[in-house]
Amino acid sequence: MRRTRPRHGLRTRRIARPFNALAALGAAGHNGFERWAGIGVFLEPWIGRRATNVLWSASLPVWFLQALGGRRRDEPVLAFNAGVAVAGATVHYVDWPWSLRFGFIPWLREAEGFRPSLLPAYNTILLLWLVGGLGSVLTETRREHLKYAAGGIATGPLLLLSARHHFVWARERAEQGDPRFTADLLAEHARRESDATPR
């Protein structure tokens, strides 16, 4: 019986997408840092801590492995995820004051009520997330899949609304004495109210 050799070409070749994998790591780092720092994670106000633990612990490793696996069937999802990475990271520069370092690196001066000592690590995570998403869209996404990347980027306004709601929700949890949420949120709220008070 003659064995049929697999045809080598676009259908069988796998190409890892390192920028997309970096975006997945950035998303995981962002969620992990915000959980560790005491402000919760995306979707937690709506579905709770246990459900978000399950969701992100399962979905982010799958994304990372898909990016490294390089299968053609995963490309639309990876393109969408790259777009969401761009949108998710960019939202932070819309809502918080930032400046340029070395003339080209966006750097948050404040974020999420974090004390200043946490900002270097947080900025680094955001930049990795943003660079991964942009790099994947620009260099790893096929032209026919750019529409999926655009769809991911288009989630930006919804992510911005969610982030603003999340910050208010996390501050309320801190005000209620929930030990899982940092008291830095209360200091940030007091500072904002002081800045808004006419002198």
Side-chain angles (χ1 to χ4, degrees):
M1 190 175 201
R2 186 179 177 182
R3 286 173 30 179
T4 303
R5 293 183 179 179
R7 292 192 307 168
H8 296 286
L10 291 177
R11 294 193 178 188
T12 57
R13 186 175 59 184
R14 294 189 176 196
I15 302 174
R17 292 164 178 80
F19 277 117
N20 205 282
L22 180 62
L25 289 176
H30 171 262
N31 280 1
F33 189 91
E34 291 196 347
R35 173 61 57 77
W36 169 80
I39 67 168
V41 297
F42 178 55
L43 295 181
E44 190 174 341
W46 291 281
I47 66 176
R49 176 149 296 197
R50 185 174 299 175
T52 52
N53 284 342
V54 173
L55 174 64
W56 300 123
S57 295
S59 63
L60 292 175
V62 167
W63 174 10
F64 179 74
L65 292 174
Q66 285 178 326
L68 292 182
R71 296 178 300 185
R72 289 290 303 273
R73 69 185 185 190
D74 295 329
E75 288 181 354
V77 172
L78 293 175
F80 180 80
N81 286 347
V84 172
V86 173
T90 301
V91 157
H92 294 76
Y93 302 101
V94 172
D95 239 16
W96 299 99
W98 58 277
S99 57
L100 291 177
R101 284 201 166 183
F102 310 109
F104 68 99
I105 300 175
W107 196 261
L108 294 177
R109 300 194 305 271
E110 299 172 23
E112 313 286 357
F114 293 144
R115 54 189 177 276
S117 62
L118 297 181
L119 289 176
Y122 193 63
N123 270 292
T124 301
I125 291 169
L126 287 180
L127 288 171
L128 291 176
W129 194 16
L130 179 61
V131 168
L134 282 173
S136 185
V137 170
L138 296 175
T139 68
E140 298 173 345
T141 303
R142 298 176 188 273
R143 182 174 296 178
E144 63 266 31
H145 297 139
L146 286 175
K147 58 181 177 288
Y148 299 108
I153 293 171
T155 64
L158 290 176
L159 294 177
L160 180 60
L161 290 174
S162 173
R164 289 173 176 171
H165 171 76
H166 183 107
F167 183 74
V168 172
W169 169 81
R171 189 188 69 234
E172 290 173 349
R173 300 294 297 177
E175 288 172 345
Q176 293 165 11
D178 189 328
R180 298 175 298 179
F181 292 83
T182 177
D184 290 345
L185 291 162
L186 305 181
E188 170 65 15
H189 180 55
R191 187 196 63 77
R192 286 191 170 195
E193 286 193 333
S194 176
D195 290 346
T197 302
R199 290 179 173 81

